[in-house]
Amino acid sequence: MMRIQEVIVVEGRYDKAALSQVVDTVIIETEGFGIFSDREKLALLRRLAQAKGLVVLTDGDGGGFVIRNFLKGAIDPALVKHAYVPDVYGKERRKKAPSKEGKLGVEGMSREILEQALRRAGATILDETQKAEEKSSPITKAELYALGFSGRSDSAARRAILLKALGLPERMTANAMLEALNILSSREEIEAIAAGIPE
């Protein structure tokens, strides 16, 4: 499995599922054209780009290029790399019919093609040593529980305070929040916020 420094941006959950079999990194979905109206997610992508860099990997059809071009204009181009999948005609297994343009999307690409696309884009591939150093002490779900951000009757309210303090979207899932905290924050910062929340 390739270990990538940058956060990878894809269109949807099937793209994310396919890519998660190939790379070890944070993968964020645009939810198709949903990114156009989701200011919170766009702000999160900008912060992730500052922290780790982004690789945009959208489908090779018209819709994919519309999303890619939107992100090109919305995020500092110096922080974004663009990976492209080739035009392969066919139909994904889960679909009854091919797409409008008849091309396979990211989810339909082979492992080898996805790896090649990321290498050509210049994604930063980490070796085992770098990965161990970078991830030496990630924040865990158990620590969030111990700090009261899960498992308590007031945990949702406490998480809302944490997300607001860190400038993160309030609708993040627990797993997405944990990924973002490990990229954008420190254990000390989270503990300090938790200590400032009245019981």
Side-chain angles (χ1 to χ4, degrees), residues 9-21 27 29-30 32 57-59 92 94-95 105-108 114:
V9 181
V10 296
E11 291 180 52
R13 68 178 186 267
Y14 294 107
D15 299 330
K16 181 177 180 177
L19 202 55
S20 66
Q21 304 300 311
I27 304 169
E29 304 164 38
T30 66
L57 180 60
T58 57
D59 293 348
E92 282 88 2
R94 70 176 178 87
K95 295 182 178 175
V106 170
E107 70 172 285
L114 292 173

Side-chain angles (χ1 to χ4, degrees), residues 68-112:
R68 183 185 297 277
N69 289 332
F70 172 78
L71 293 173
K72 277 183 183 177
I75 300 171
D76 182 352
L79 305 174
V80 181
K81 297 173 181 175
H82 291 273
Y84 296 90
V85 294
D87 286 343
V88 177
Y89 291 88
K91 158 185 101 56
E92 282 88 2
R93 275 182 254 154
R94 70 176 178 87
K95 295 182 178 175
K96 291 181 180 176
S99 68
K100 185 176 178 183
E101 295 181 28
K103 299 176 184 176
L104 292 177
V106 170
E107 70 172 285
M109 296 294 157
S110 70
R111 176 185 200 96
E112 294 75 23

Side-chain angles (χ1 to χ4, degrees), residues 1-5 8 16-27 111 115 118-119 124-128 131:
M1 182 166 288
M2 291 174 68
R3 291 166 177 84
I4 305 289
Q5 172 182 298
I8 301 178
K16 181 177 180 177
L19 202 55
S20 66
Q21 304 300 311
V22 179
V23 296
D24 178 9
T25 192
V26 176
I27 304 169
R111 176 185 200 96
E115 286 181 2
L118 292 167
R119 287 182 191 281
T124 308
I125 301 166
L126 305 172
D127 65 24
E128 294 296 329
K131 182 67 176 176

